[in-house]
Amino acid sequence: LLFAMGLGTTITFASSHWLLAWMGLEINTLAILPLMCQSHHPRAVEATIKYFLTQATAAAMLLFASITNAWITGQWNLEFMSYSLPTTLVTVALALKIGLAPLHAWMPEVLQGLDLTTGLILSTWQKLAPFCLLLQINPSNTSLLLILGLASTLVGGWGGLNQNQLRKILAYSSIAHLGWMILVLQFFPSLTLLTLLMYFVMTFSLFISFKVNNSTTINSLSMSWSKTPIISSMVPFILLSLGGLPPLSGFMPKWLILQELTKQSLAPLATLAALSALLSLYFYLRISYAMTLTMSPNTFLNALPWRLPSNQHTLPLAITT
């Protein structure tokens, strides 16, 4: 299944024909579905069905848009999207595929039902193929992309504020970061790619550290200090990097994006985006407070987990951290 997932993404990467790109996205979706419901928990099955329905809708929209484009222009090439109707349809379909606001509602629900490893695949690898298509069609409809991007940063900030579940918080953080990438997509595509890669590294290390701690709620994180002290002291740095604080590497893409938006004389937009980053910073600070500044008995008593020696590979975690 992992091989088929990689194959689907690679087909989309290599394609210059709309049908081939669509086929790669479909193979990709179909390969991750069994991985999502392998635990047979009702919540996981529900998440899988929600994911399947949204991705099928997005794929159908994409197919419809490419057929429309072929009908208007008479060719199937990815690069020649000169008409506004198919371009807008493709952009909206891909926004639904990666979960940009206001088409984001499936993302926290789906991520909440999965285990952390599959959730990691969903929030990193599954974003690659749609982003590749978005970068290739280079949408000329600037206002649509700016609205999508700004709505995503705001929704990703507000949605995560009162969450207690780590996976939902990670889903909202993912929405916010994708919004930042979409904002700068038409002005500076390579910067979008840089932000995407930085986001992958930070999200990867965060997911794996939660997996080592075996924690899915904020309350269960306060136990991690006694179990894995070194990881617990490193995770706040990852979190603050995701929030975009200056000495850390997560600050660089945000700074460059704000600079690029100001160069394009979109200063009000840049100000709104920077303010929405404060919203995200609040819940990252909440998680790091729960991990490092609370000793276990003072917080809500949850069932104390066994301190068993962990048999997980922590080398990828160490590298990405």
Side-chain angles (χ1 to χ4, degrees), residues 109-283:
E109 293 291 324
V110 168
L111 210 55
Q112 179 56 35
L114 307 177
D115 61 324
L116 287 167
T117 323
T118 325
L120 170 66
I121 296 175
L122 181 72
S123 45
T124 55
W125 183 258
Q126 295 296 91
K127 308 274 185 258
L128 276 172
F131 251 101
C132 164
L133 289 180
L134 269 175
L135 283 165
Q136 277 186 22
I137 60 172
N138 195 11
S140 51
N141 193 346
T142 51
S143 53
L144 173 71
L145 281 183
L146 293 180
I147 289 169
L148 283 173
L150 189 62
S152 300
T153 54
L154 288 170
V155 163
W158 266 314
L161 284 185
N162 57 354
Q163 293 295 343
N164 196 23
Q165 302 286 339
L166 288 178
R167 286 166 293 187
K168 280 196 177 169
I169 288 184
L170 285 167
Y172 280 114
S173 119
S174 162
I175 294 168
H177 278 272
L178 292 172
W180 279 91
M181 296 167 211
I182 291 294
L183 275 178
V184 81
L185 180 69
Q186 64 227 359
F187 308 127
F188 202 163
S190 50
L191 186 50
T192 299
L193 211 54
L194 170 80
T195 319
L196 190 67
L197 293 175
M198 295 292 303
Y199 161 74
F200 278 5
V201 173
M202 297 188 284
T203 310
F204 184 84
S205 45
L206 201 55
F207 263 102
I208 302 286
S209 52
F210 289 158
K211 189 173 179 296
V212 168
N213 278 326
N214 195 13
S215 53
T216 53
T217 60
I218 291 190
N219 294 342
S220 60
L221 275 180
S222 55
M223 296 297 305
S224 65
W225 189 243
S226 51
K227 286 160 67 181
T228 50
I230 297 181
I231 292 182
S232 303
S233 56
M234 290 311 287
V235 163
F237 288 113
I238 306 171
L239 283 161
L240 295 179
S241 179
L242 269 169
L245 285 191
L248 303 163
S249 51
F251 172 63
M252 174 185 62
K254 282 197 166 59
W255 181 37
L256 292 172
I257 287 174
L258 289 176
Q259 185 186 10
E260 187 57 39
L261 286 175
T262 329
K263 275 184 194 167
Q264 302 288 341
S265 65
L266 292 167
L269 195 73
T271 314
L272 276 172
L275 287 175
S276 72
L278 283 176
L279 293 168
S280 313
L281 185 62
Y282 172 77
F283 56 81

Side-chain angles (χ1 to χ4, degrees), residues 88-110:
T88 310
L89 274 173
V90 166
T91 314
V92 172
L94 293 173
L96 176 61
K97 238 182 190 336
I98 55 180
L100 288 170
L103 310 160
H104 66 285
W106 60 272
M107 179 91 184
E109 293 291 324
V110 168

Side-chain angles (χ1 to χ4, degrees), residues 10-88:
T10 318
I11 287 178
T12 308
F13 281 174
S15 67
S16 59
H17 188 289
W18 269 116
L19 275 181
L20 204 59
W22 170 81
M23 192 176 71
L25 290 170
E26 281 292 280
I27 294 174
N28 198 0
T29 306
L30 291 176
I32 199 179
L33 291 175
L35 290 176
M36 290 167 82
C37 60
Q38 62 181 347
S39 65
H40 290 302
H41 192 277
R43 187 72 185 81
V45 175
E46 180 193 343
T48 312
I49 298 222
K50 283 178 180 170
Y51 183 74
F52 170 71
L53 290 174
T54 50
Q55 298 298 307
T57 312
M61 258 182 90
L62 193 77
L63 192 59
F64 174 65
S66 53
I67 289 174
T68 313
N69 187 52
W71 186 50
I72 297 175
T73 60
Q75 44 79 31
W76 287 88
N77 226 350
L78 275 177
E79 284 82 28
F80 304 114
M81 298 288 289
S82 46
Y83 288 87
S84 61
L85 174 71
T87 315
T88 310

